[in-house]
Amino acid sequence: MGVRLMVVDDHRLLAEALASALKLRGHRVLAAAAPTAGAADLVIARAPEVCLLGTALPAEPGIFDPVVRIKRERPQVAVLVLGPVPSPRGIAAAFAAGASGYVRHDERIEGVERAIMKARAGEAAVAPQLLQGAFGELLNPAAQPDDEGRRLLRLLTPREVEVLVRVAEGEDTRLIAAGMNIAPSTARTHVQRVLMKLGVGSRLEAAALAARTGLLDRAGPLPHRSGPAAAEPGSGQSA
């Protein structure tokens, strides 16, 4: 028997695609709404069995306020958070707000469906390793908001920190590669790893997160370039 679902995400295309895929698997999707600002009102009015609620920044203060309100007014609704690769703090915040689980944006539809069934059954719908990290964060909340930049900095290698600083300064892949004396393909790989570790979906989000948490101030200035690939005066390349 299908599950009565609601999909709410800022990215309308993602919400509608996920809703369509779930309908094809026999579930009853009540709505695929884009604005998360009105998510709580929609869910409370329609009262689905499970709500898939999208978020771009799972560690942002107040991001799970709609979950709190939904669980307060419709406690029977199981809320599954949809988001990027999360930090333990993001997972912990989702569960603390009352969510039944966390599903990554890149999860296969089979995984999403398994999470839905677990949530409806009252089980925690999250990968075991993510759940372990979340419980550790809840029991031992080490990083306070002022320390968020330091925590994020520890996630990155020195080279990845340099990549993040260059991204925040607006450098594209070509300039990052030239500035670090590496191939463009290697620069792209570094950028993707930085986005994954920070739990964001774009360079703009990474730059905003780094600026907001003070990570850029902690990172320090970019190293001076040296070696045969360094820019010569008048070459037009940026350091």
Side-chain angles (χ1 to χ4, degrees):
M1 182 178 176
V3 180
R4 293 173 60 250
L5 300 167
M6 180 172 287
V7 180
V8 183
D9 196 283
D10 278 336
H11 298 87
R12 183 177 295 275
L13 184 60
L14 173 63
E16 292 179 350
L18 182 55
S20 297
L22 290 169
K23 284 179 181 178
L24 289 175
R25 300 178 79 87
H27 300 289
R28 292 168 288 166
V29 184
L30 302 180
T36 53
D41 291 329
L42 282 170
V43 176
I44 290 167
R46 302 300 294 273
E49 292 178 277
V50 179
C51 169
L52 294 163
L53 181 65
T55 179
L57 297 171
E60 185 78 8
I63 196 69
F64 297 121
D65 286 351
V67 180
V68 174
R69 186 176 165 216
I70 291 168
K71 297 303 294 184
R72 182 176 64 244
E73 301 192 29
R74 294 285 188 182
Q76 74 277 17
V77 175
V79 180
L80 280 176
V81 174
L82 287 169
V85 179
S87 66
R89 171 173 291 197
I91 293 287
F95 276 100
S100 297
Y102 192 105
V103 180
R104 285 171 42 169
H105 279 145
D106 59 356
E107 180 62 79
R108 297 173 64 89
I109 189 63
E110 294 84 1
V112 176
E113 189 173 39
R114 283 194 298 271
I116 289 170
M117 302 309 291
K118 283 187 174 183
R120 186 174 68 168
E123 302 175 22
V126 64
Q129 64 271 28
L130 296 181
L131 188 60
Q132 182 179 11
F135 283 154
E137 182 70 29
L138 285 170
L139 294 173
N140 302 290
Q144 299 301 316
D146 291 343
D147 295 328
E148 185 69 1
R150 184 174 316 197
R151 185 189 70 80
L152 293 175
L153 197 60
R154 288 199 298 265
L155 296 176
L156 307 176
T157 66
R159 176 150 286 197
E160 289 166 349
V161 171
E162 181 178 352
V163 168
L164 177 59
V165 172
R166 291 183 181 278
V167 166
E169 292 186 352
E171 293 188 8
D172 59 16
T173 301
R174 179 183 62 82
L175 288 176
I176 292 173
M180 298 180 66
N181 197 20
I182 58 178
S185 59
T186 303
R188 280 192 295 272
T189 298
H190 283 316
V191 170
Q192 290 304 312
R193 286 177 178 168
V194 168
L195 299 185
M196 181 185 70
K197 288 184 176 182
L198 295 183
V200 297
S202 70
R203 298 184 184 210
L204 182 60
E205 290 178 18
L209 179 62
R212 187 179 67 252
T213 60
L215 192 154
L216 296 179
D217 295 332
R218 296 178 184 277
L222 290 173
H224 293 293
R225 295 178 57 207
S226 60
E232 296 294 333
S235 66
Q237 291 182 332
S238 300

